[in-house]
Amino acid sequence: MNVRRLIPTAALAAAVALGATALTACSGATAADGGKDGKLDVTASFYPMQFLAEQIGKDHVKVDILTKPGVEPHDLEITPKQATKLGEADVILYLKTLQPAVDKAVAQSGVKNIVDAAALTKLEAHGSEPGHGEAGHEHTDGDEHAHEQEGDGHAHGEAGEDPHVWLDPTKYAEIAQGVGAALKKADPDHAADYDKNTAELVGKLGALDTEFKDGLKNTATKTFITTHSAFGYLAERYGLDQESISGVDPQSEPSPARMKELQAVAKKDNVSTVFFETLASDKTAKSLAGDTGLKTDVLDPLEGITDKSQGADYFEVMRSNLKNLQKALGAK
Ligand SMILES: [Zn+2]
């Protein structure tokens, strides 16, 4: 227990410091609002960042989100109005390289407390398997021959790095710890609460990791096919092999050569199911499944939660993903 946080002068000093931070970042009205409700204004770039801010910040934060539910995040455009509002945030939480328009707006925001989730864990490249043709994900160019990024783990924006880290509960927990530290720094008055909430969330993510480990230990096949190649980290963590149809762009048509290759993979590795995601079209998944006599099912990259999602939050959707993977892979 930290008794110092109960001393009113300390609280006052923190409030003054917070007000000063807000004043440097914006012009008047919103800073005053922020002062009135006493909450830290956090702007999160997309759902997995929003979830961290809410779980760790709880009552002490007001979370605004740039990628509205149901919007595909990769190609998000930022309106001038959103850019202005972004400049008024106390804390920005985003994941560099996932959304180029957000990266640009954040760089221009002038906000003091900027948290880049990509710098809180180690990003890796998930290129294609040798002999399996084109690279799965298309966030960045030149990842075909890329392997694990060299360096200190804080490098980001390098060609070939896969931003979908939140789909690995262990890496997501690392990010959660960094977010907890950042909220503490921005709002030291509630440090003990942020610590407690972070520990709770990290514990839950550890339990989720164990469920995945146990649930995917013993399966008939290790290969799964998905439209959007968001599951490279998840595959690596649990010893699976992700094969993707067409990368991140739901509009792009996979080449006939890639479709043929996937048919061969499906046959060789006893794949039963082609996965599609909730925010994108299932057309290519259905077409591949139809050609190969496979089933289709949902594997949700959790880039947004809508009422079509198979769960109300990160944990529910991840457990639904686990269930669907177990079914598709023939878990024993
Ligand atoms: Zn994605």
Side-chain angles (χ1 to χ4, degrees), residues 2-19 184-191:
N2 185 354
V3 282
R4 277 180 53 224
R5 57 184 271 272
L6 298 174
I7 299 170
T9 48
L12 187 64
V16 168
L18 194 60
K184 262 168 78 173
K185 201 176 138 219
D187 180 18
D189 202 31
H190 298 115

Short mmCIF file of all heavy atoms in Angstrom, two decimals, residues 2-19 184-191:
data_model
loop_
_atom_site.label_atom_id
_atom_site.label_comp_id
_atom_site.label_asym_id
_atom_site.label_seq_id
_atom_site.Cartn_x
_atom_site.Cartn_y
_atom_site.Cartn_z
N ASN A 2 0.58 2.14 -0.85
CA ASN A 2 1.33 3.38 -0.92
C ASN A 2 0.50 4.49 -0.26
O ASN A 2 -0.47 4.97 -0.80
CB ASN A 2 1.60 3.73 -2.39
CG ASN A 2 2.48 4.96 -2.51
OD1 ASN A 2 2.78 5.61 -1.51
ND2 ASN A 2 2.89 5.26 -3.72
N VAL A 3 0.89 4.85 0.99
CA VAL A 3 0.10 5.84 1.73
C VAL A 3 0.30 7.25 1.17
O VAL A 3 -0.54 8.11 1.35
CB VAL A 3 0.41 5.83 3.24
CG1 VAL A 3 -0.27 4.66 3.91
CG2 VAL A 3 1.91 5.81 3.48
N ARG A 4 1.40 7.43 0.50
CA ARG A 4 1.69 8.78 0.02
C ARG A 4 0.61 9.31 -0.91
O ARG A 4 0.37 10.50 -0.99
CB ARG A 4 3.04 8.80 -0.71
CG ARG A 4 4.21 8.95 0.25
CD ARG A 4 5.53 8.97 -0.49
NE ARG A 4 5.54 9.97 -1.54
CZ ARG A 4 6.01 9.76 -2.77
NH1 ARG A 4 6.49 8.59 -3.08
NH2 ARG A 4 6.01 10.72 -3.65
N ARG A 5 -0.05 8.41 -1.62
CA ARG A 5 -1.05 8.89 -2.56
C ARG A 5 -2.30 9.44 -1.85
O ARG A 5 -3.17 10.04 -2.45
CB ARG A 5 -1.43 7.83 -3.58
CG ARG A 5 -1.95 6.54 -3.00
CD ARG A 5 -2.20 5.55 -4.11
NE ARG A 5 -3.55 5.66 -4.63
CZ ARG A 5 -4.59 5.01 -4.11
NH1 ARG A 5 -4.46 4.23 -3.08
NH2 ARG A 5 -5.79 5.15 -4.65
N LEU A 6 -2.38 9.21 -0.54
CA LEU A 6 -3.53 9.72 0.20
C LEU A 6 -3.32 11.15 0.68
O LEU A 6 -4.24 11.81 1.11
CB LEU A 6 -3.81 8.82 1.41
CG LEU A 6 -4.17 7.37 1.05
CD1 LEU A 6 -4.28 6.53 2.30
CD2 LEU A 6 -5.45 7.32 0.23
N ILE A 7 -2.07 11.61 0.60
CA ILE A 7 -1.78 12.97 1.06
C ILE A 7 -2.31 13.98 0.04
O ILE A 7 -1.96 13.94 -1.13
CB ILE A 7 -0.26 13.16 1.25
CG1 ILE A 7 0.25 12.18 2.33
CG2 ILE A 7 0.07 14.60 1.64
CD1 ILE A 7 1.75 12.12 2.43
N PRO A 8 -3.18 14.87 0.51
CA PRO A 8 -3.84 15.79 -0.43
C PRO A 8 -2.87 16.65 -1.23
O PRO A 8 -3.10 16.89 -2.40
CB PRO A 8 -4.70 16.67 0.47
CG PRO A 8 -4.86 15.90 1.74
CD PRO A 8 -3.67 15.03 1.88
N THR A 9 -1.78 17.10 -0.63
CA THR A 9 -0.87 17.97 -1.38
C THR A 9 -0.26 17.24 -2.57
O THR A 9 -0.10 17.80 -3.63
CB THR A 9 0.27 18.49 -0.47
OG1 THR A 9 0.80 17.39 0.24
CG2 THR A 9 -0.23 19.54 0.49
N ALA A 10 0.01 15.97 -2.37
CA ALA A 10 0.57 15.19 -3.47
C ALA A 10 -0.46 15.10 -4.60
O ALA A 10 -0.14 15.24 -5.78
CB ALA A 10 0.94 13.79 -2.98
N ALA A 11 -1.71 14.89 -4.20
CA ALA A 11 -2.78 14.80 -5.18
C ALA A 11 -2.93 16.13 -5.93
O ALA A 11 -3.09 16.16 -7.15
CB ALA A 11 -4.10 14.44 -4.50
N LEU A 12 -2.82 17.19 -5.19
CA LEU A 12 -2.96 18.51 -5.78
C LEU A 12 -1.84 18.77 -6.78
O LEU A 12 -2.06 19.22 -7.90
CB LEU A 12 -2.94 19.58 -4.67
CG LEU A 12 -3.23 21.01 -5.13
CD1 LEU A 12 -4.66 21.12 -5.66
CD2 LEU A 12 -3.02 21.99 -3.98
N ALA A 13 -0.64 18.42 -6.37
CA ALA A 13 0.52 18.61 -7.25
C ALA A 13 0.33 17.82 -8.54
O ALA A 13 0.59 18.31 -9.63
CB ALA A 13 1.80 18.17 -6.54
N ALA A 14 -0.17 16.59 -8.38
CA ALA A 14 -0.37 15.75 -9.57
C ALA A 14 -1.43 16.38 -10.48
O ALA A 14 -1.29 16.39 -11.70
CB ALA A 14 -0.81 14.36 -9.14
N ALA A 15 -2.48 16.91 -9.86
CA ALA A 15 -3.56 17.52 -10.65
C ALA A 15 -3.05 18.74 -11.40
O ALA A 15 -3.37 18.96 -12.56
CB ALA A 15 -4.72 17.91 -9.73
N VAL A 16 -2.22 19.51 -10.74
CA VAL A 16 -1.65 20.69 -11.38
C VAL A 16 -0.76 20.26 -12.55
O VAL A 16 -0.84 20.80 -13.65
CB VAL A 16 -0.85 21.54 -10.37
CG1 VAL A 16 -0.03 22.60 -11.09
CG2 VAL A 16 -1.81 22.20 -9.38
N ALA A 17 0.06 19.24 -12.30
CA ALA A 17 0.95 18.75 -13.35
C ALA A 17 0.15 18.27 -14.55
O ALA A 17 0.47 18.54 -15.70
CB ALA A 17 1.81 17.61 -12.82
N LEU A 18 -0.95 17.58 -14.25
CA LEU A 18 -1.80 17.05 -15.32
C LEU A 18 -2.42 18.18 -16.11
O LEU A 18 -2.47 18.16 -17.34
CB LEU A 18 -2.89 16.17 -14.69
CG LEU A 18 -3.67 15.29 -15.65
CD1 LEU A 18 -2.71 14.33 -16.34
CD2 LEU A 18 -4.72 14.51 -14.88
N GLY A 19 -2.90 19.20 -15.39
CA GLY A 19 -3.49 20.35 -16.07
C GLY A 19 -2.49 21.03 -16.98
O GLY A 19 -2.82 21.41 -18.10
N LYS A 184 0.61 5.30 -15.44
CA LYS A 184 1.15 5.73 -14.14
C LYS A 184 1.92 7.04 -14.27
O LYS A 184 1.81 7.94 -13.45
CB LYS A 184 2.13 4.67 -13.63
CG LYS A 184 1.54 3.73 -12.62
CD LYS A 184 2.46 2.54 -12.40
CE LYS A 184 3.64 2.86 -11.49
NZ LYS A 184 4.41 1.63 -11.16
N LYS A 185 2.70 7.11 -15.33
CA LYS A 185 3.52 8.29 -15.56
C LYS A 185 2.64 9.51 -15.86
O LYS A 185 2.89 10.61 -15.37
CB LYS A 185 4.48 8.01 -16.73
CG LYS A 185 5.69 8.92 -16.74
CD LYS A 185 6.64 8.53 -17.87
CE LYS A 185 7.16 9.77 -18.55
NZ LYS A 185 7.27 9.65 -20.00
N ALA A 186 1.59 9.28 -16.64
CA ALA A 186 0.72 10.39 -17.02
C ALA A 186 -0.19 10.80 -15.87
O ALA A 186 -0.63 11.95 -15.81
CB ALA A 186 -0.12 9.99 -18.24
N ASP A 187 -0.47 9.88 -14.97
CA ASP A 187 -1.44 10.14 -13.90
C ASP A 187 -0.95 9.47 -12.61
O ASP A 187 -1.54 8.51 -12.12
CB ASP A 187 -2.80 9.56 -14.34
CG ASP A 187 -3.89 9.76 -13.30
OD1 ASP A 187 -3.73 10.62 -12.41
OD2 ASP A 187 -4.91 9.05 -13.38
N PRO A 188 0.17 9.97 -12.06
CA PRO A 188 0.81 9.30 -10.91
C PRO A 188 -0.10 9.20 -9.68
O PRO A 188 0.11 8.33 -8.82
CB PRO A 188 2.04 10.17 -10.61
CG PRO A 188 1.94 11.38 -11.45
CD PRO A 188 0.90 11.17 -12.50
N ASP A 189 -1.11 10.04 -9.62
CA ASP A 189 -2.02 10.02 -8.49
C ASP A 189 -2.73 8.68 -8.34
O ASP A 189 -3.13 8.30 -7.23
CB ASP A 189 -3.04 11.14 -8.68
CG ASP A 189 -3.65 11.55 -7.36
OD1 ASP A 189 -2.95 11.45 -6.34
OD2 ASP A 189 -4.83 11.94 -7.36
N HIS A 190 -2.93 7.98 -9.46
CA HIS A 190 -3.64 6.70 -9.41
C HIS A 190 -2.73 5.52 -9.72
O HIS A 190 -3.18 4.47 -10.20
CB HIS A 190 -4.83 6.73 -10.39
CG HIS A 190 -5.84 7.78 -10.03
ND1 HIS A 190 -6.11 8.87 -10.84
CD2 HIS A 190 -6.61 7.93 -8.93
CE1 HIS A 190 -7.01 9.64 -10.24
NE2 HIS A 190 -7.34 9.10 -9.08
N ALA A 191 -1.45 5.71 -9.43
CA ALA A 191 -0.45 4.69 -9.77
C ALA A 191 -0.80 3.32 -9.19
O ALA A 191 -0.68 2.30 -9.88
CB ALA A 191 0.92 5.14 -9.26
#
